């Protein structure tokens, strides 16, 4: 048995330890996001979106740690790292608006005081909006005006504008019979 273990490269053990550690980290991060979502009464679809972000983070960490475990030297790693970030920097500069909306979506998950169903007023001097939050996505909010118009409002703008709560849980009661 000792002979078999000595034939297995040490990198395999490191890889196993890394996978185990990352699985544990992923579990705790998802549990924390779930607790935050439940405590703040956040819609489950928004919590699942956070789970996707956690999975991406764990994947990036896995690639980084496994490359170190399998002997990629710091010189090679820094060359790859700087090249990837240079390419990403140029690409991300071109799509900064999308990234700002994603970042705003993450910020809104943890600290946005309004929930789906709340009626809000966005104080914009050019186009003030009073509507009910129908859905909160990664890039934008779906707002439904009292006239029934659906407005898609970018997440980064909702964090830049003054917003006030008009009515809590003011969902449109379409399809309900009046008693």
């Amino acid at each position: 048995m000792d002979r078999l273990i000595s034939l297995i490269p040490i990198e395999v053990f490191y890889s196993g330890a890394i996978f185990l550690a990352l699985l544990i980290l992923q579990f705790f991060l998802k549990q924390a996001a779930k607790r935050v979502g439940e405590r703040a009464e956040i819609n489950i679809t928004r919590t699942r979106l956070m789970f996707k972000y956690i999975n991406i983070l764990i994947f990036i960490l896995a690639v980084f740690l496994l490359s170190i475990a399998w002997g990629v030297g710091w010189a090679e790693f820094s060359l790859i790292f700087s090249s990837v970030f240079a390419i990403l920097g140029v690409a991300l500069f071109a799509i900064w608006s999308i990234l700002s909306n994603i970042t705003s979506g993450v910020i809104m998950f943890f600290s946005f005081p309004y929930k789906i169903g709340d009626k809000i007023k966005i104080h914009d001097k050019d186009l003030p909006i009073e509507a009910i939050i129908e859905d909160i996505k990664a890039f934008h909010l779906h707002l439904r005006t009292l006239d029934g118009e659906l407005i898609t409002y970018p997440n980064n703008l909702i964090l830049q504008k003054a917003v006030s709560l008009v009515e809590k849980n003011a969902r449109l009661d379409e399809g309900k019979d009046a008693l």
Side-chain angles (χ1 to χ4, degrees):
M1 183 69 169
D2 292 335
R3 192 174 185 173
L4 178 63
I5 291 175
S6 65
L7 293 176
I8 299 173
I10 192 71
E11 291 86 359
V12 173
F13 291 111
Y14 289 153
S15 298
I18 289 169
F19 279 122
L20 182 63
L22 289 177
L23 283 174
I24 292 169
L25 177 65
Q26 181 182 34
F27 174 77
F28 284 120
L29 287 175
K30 284 186 175 182
Q31 289 300 314
K34 186 177 177 182
R35 278 194 306 272
V36 167
E38 288 172 352
R39 192 174 319 132
E41 297 176 0
I42 295 173
N43 191 309
I44 189 67
T45 56
R46 289 184 60 211
T47 305
R48 287 186 186 136
L49 182 63
M50 270 312 114
F51 290 170
K52 288 180 185 178
Y53 292 153
I54 290 169
N55 288 340
I56 291 169
L57 173 69
I58 295 297
F59 176 76
I60 291 170
L61 281 173
V63 168
F64 174 72
L65 293 174
L66 287 173
S67 64
I68 290 172
W70 283 90
V72 174
W74 287 108
E76 295 90 0
F77 190 72
S78 64
L79 176 67
I80 292 169
F81 190 71
S82 62
S83 300
V84 167
F85 271 101
I87 292 169
L88 284 175
V90 171
L92 296 180
F93 179 74
I95 56 169
W96 70 269
S97 175
I98 293 172
L99 287 178
S100 69
N101 282 319
I102 291 174
T103 305
S104 299
V106 171
I107 292 169
M108 287 171 52
F109 177 78
F110 290 106
S111 65
F112 194 57
Y114 312 112
K115 310 231 179 309
I116 294 173
D118 290 350
K119 185 177 183 182
I120 61 171
K121 182 173 185 176
I122 301 171
H123 302 279
D124 186 355
K125 67 177 184 172
D126 297 327
L127 184 66
I129 298 172
E130 189 169 323
I132 296 173
I133 301 173
E134 204 170 79
D135 200 359
I136 302 173
K137 302 276 187 187
F139 298 102
H140 54 267
L141 285 104
H142 286 172
L143 303 172
R144 182 77 61 183
T145 65
L146 298 178
D147 300 335
E149 178 184 12
L150 178 65
I151 298 173
T152 302
Y153 204 81
N155 285 343
N156 63 348
L157 290 182
I158 198 80
L159 292 180
Q160 295 174 13
K161 306 286 182 184
V163 179
S164 59
L165 179 66
V166 175
E167 183 182 347
K168 197 127 184 88
N169 266 340
R171 295 181 193 259
L172 293 174
D173 291 333
E174 294 175 358
K176 290 188 176 180
D177 294 331
L179 296 175

